[in-house]
Amino acid sequence: MKKIYISIFVLSAFTFTGCADDYLDVKQTETVSTDDIELFNNDNGAKTFVTSIYSKFLDWDMSSFGWIGLASITSDDADKGSTPSDTGTDKDVLDALSYNASNPSAESTFNANYDGINRCNQALAILPKLDKADSALRERLMAEAKFLRAFMYFTLVKCYGGVPIVDHISSLPLSAADKEMQLTRKSTAEVYAFIEKDLTEAAAALPNKSEYSSDEKSRASKGAAYALLAKVNLYQKNWQKVIDNCNLVTGYIISPDYAKMFRLEGENDGESIFEINGVGSVPVRGIQGYSNTQGVRDSWGWGFNQPSESLVNAYEPGDVRKDATIIFRGTTLYDGTLVPLIKLEKDQVDPNPRYNYKAYSSAFTNAWETDSNIKYLRYGEVLLMKAEALNELGQTSEAIPLLNIIRHRAGLGDTPAVSQNAVRTAIWKERRVELAFEFDRFFDLVRTGQAKDAFAADKSIDFPNGRVFTVGKNELFPIPASFILISEGMSSQNPGYN
């Protein structure tokens, strides 16, 4: 019986045969034989292949501790948190920007995204064969798989630069061409081109968010594809394409209450374009450890990813986003939960005075797997992306009103910025306070060239002189040493890592 296998690490099929228990995670929708394909040859069967892709985002290795460390604790918006003695395996070295090629968070993020890509590739290979499923449904599901594959490749290219483009599942024994595909890093430009192709094809086939039923609002939509395409253009400084794709994101609004967007009542609201649904259907569960690892240390969590003093100081007086983003000790949360003060000895400093409010879930039916969603794309960011692109093209007077829409929702007045340079700085600052803890800040600092100065200014108890961002190295995270080892010279490490 011929079977197609999907593995957590794309290369495991031929390089980790001696430790399959560590690298293989074969679930029902990840092992399909040609004899059994008829079991899936219906509408519900077809859906399972794409459901398994969405379910990957609920996993610990995809959306939780490693990703939080890699994309948030590294930024100037966050400190390690927890206690000085609790390193969180590697969160201390991530905070210090002193990680190496064996960093566990860099490895788990790399592997998890390739696991998800494998699930996308399996869906794209199997769905065309399910001729008893509705053809329109299959077309939509394939478009969802392409969007999700693009989403994961965007994560990879932001983190690591050029990576292998694995665009199909491989049969065993592995051919020389497929081995080269899996082990050879492509250029950053090639990865971006692949992402753009997936998103363009996805946008053509996906429905608008308004066309989904109420129980499917978290699925990828046409607006999500165009918004992500605009963001991909933003990272490449293709300013006119940013504007063009932002203009195609229609049917969304700016939610009037910033704080409510990050509560259960605000999930998949009118501003939400794409978010990870904290309750999956295979099985029914929340995101593993997402809320718990960032929760109040002595009450319901571990206390990692602590909002920094630098972030606190970035908010203007009267900005409602500060108290909607940061939990302060001694305050009462929106659901009546009291965040207790702790008793300190003389001259003792509280190691955990602040927490990430956007990760808070008031429905702690299970403290480990909570139903808090993660917002990744929303209309507020679309307006900021369009404003940035307009300003870069010299259309500053058209950019300012978009910036002011975001400021007004935050309870602030019009920006005082007028010149192109001043508006550029204002947009960058607005992105920081608007999108704090939404996994953008580190990458924004890198793409805009602000990183070295921003980290030098990020002073704290642990880093009284700021942090050192090494230009030419810290723009990218290391490719996992395990991958470099098995690539047998086909791929090289990012500069500065060993």
Side-chain angles (χ1 to χ4, degrees), residues 80 87 89-100 103:
K80 174 182 73 71
T87 65
T89 304
D90 64 347
K91 306 306 175 289
D92 53 340
V93 296
L94 290 171
D95 198 17
L97 303 179
S98 61
Y99 37 85
N100 59 30
N103 179 260

Side-chain angles (χ1 to χ4, degrees), residues 443-460:
F443 305 109
D444 271 351
L445 289 175
V446 170
R447 73 172 180 85
T448 59
Q450 301 176 82
K452 183 177 181 179
D453 291 342
F455 283 110
D458 183 23
K459 297 177 172 60
S460 65

Side-chain angles (χ1 to χ4, degrees), residues 190-345:
E190 287 174 305
V191 178
Y192 273 125
F194 183 76
I195 293 169
E196 290 179 2
K197 181 175 182 293
D198 262 358
L199 289 175
T200 300
E201 293 175 0
L206 285 169
N208 293 313
K209 181 180 176 181
S210 60
E211 297 175 79
Y212 278 114
S213 60
S214 59
D215 61 344
E216 292 188 310
K217 293 297 185 184
S218 62
R219 306 189 79 92
S221 66
K222 190 179 296 292
Y226 284 130
L228 185 55
L229 192 51
K231 196 163 184 174
V232 169
N233 300 147
L234 184 79
Y235 274 66
Q236 299 175 90
K237 297 181 170 59
N238 291 329
W239 304 120
Q240 187 58 53
K241 288 184 178 180
V242 174
I243 296 168
D244 294 342
N245 284 303
C246 284
N247 287 340
L248 293 171
V249 181
T250 59
Y252 300 90
I253 63 170
I254 293 296
S255 295
D257 191 322
Y258 182 87
K260 286 184 180 179
M261 285 197 294
F262 304 98
R263 304 174 188 172
L264 296 182
E265 64 186 288
E267 292 178 350
N268 298 303
D269 61 2
E271 183 166 339
S272 174
I273 298 175
F274 182 70
E275 58 189 78
I276 303 306
N277 188 12
V279 178
S281 57
V282 185
V284 177
R285 58 185 174 85
I287 302 168
Q288 296 177 348
Y290 182 74
S291 295
N292 184 278
T293 55
Q294 301 177 79
V296 175
R297 174 79 185 188
D298 50 349
S299 296
W300 65 80
W302 297 2
F304 285 94
N305 201 28
Q306 175 182 286
S308 66
E309 191 69 30
S310 172
L311 176 62
V312 173
N313 294 335
Y315 292 96
E316 296 174 43
D319 192 331
V320 302
R321 293 171 295 191
K322 181 170 77 171
D323 286 338
T325 301
I326 303 172
I327 294 175
F328 294 92
R329 277 205 182 274
T331 59
T332 300
L333 306 184
Y334 70 87
D335 59 357
T337 299
L338 175 65
V339 183
L341 294 168
I342 61 174
K343 185 177 181 180
L344 299 173
E345 302 297 330

Side-chain angles (χ1 to χ4, degrees), residues 121-173:
N121 288 339
Q122 174 152 346
L124 291 168
I126 296 295
L127 285 169
K129 301 175 183 179
L130 304 181
D131 55 3
K132 294 179 183 177
D134 180 77
S135 60
L137 173 64
R138 283 188 293 151
E139 184 179 7
R140 189 201 85 192
L141 291 171
M142 292 182 69
E144 290 181 64
K146 288 181 179 180
F147 170 84
L148 293 167
R149 185 168 67 177
F151 186 96
M152 288 180 271
Y153 267 115
F154 186 45
T155 295
L156 289 169
V157 76
K158 287 187 299 181
C159 288
Y160 309 100
V163 293
I165 297 175
V166 182
D167 62 0
H168 63 269
I169 53 177
S170 302
S171 298
L172 296 177

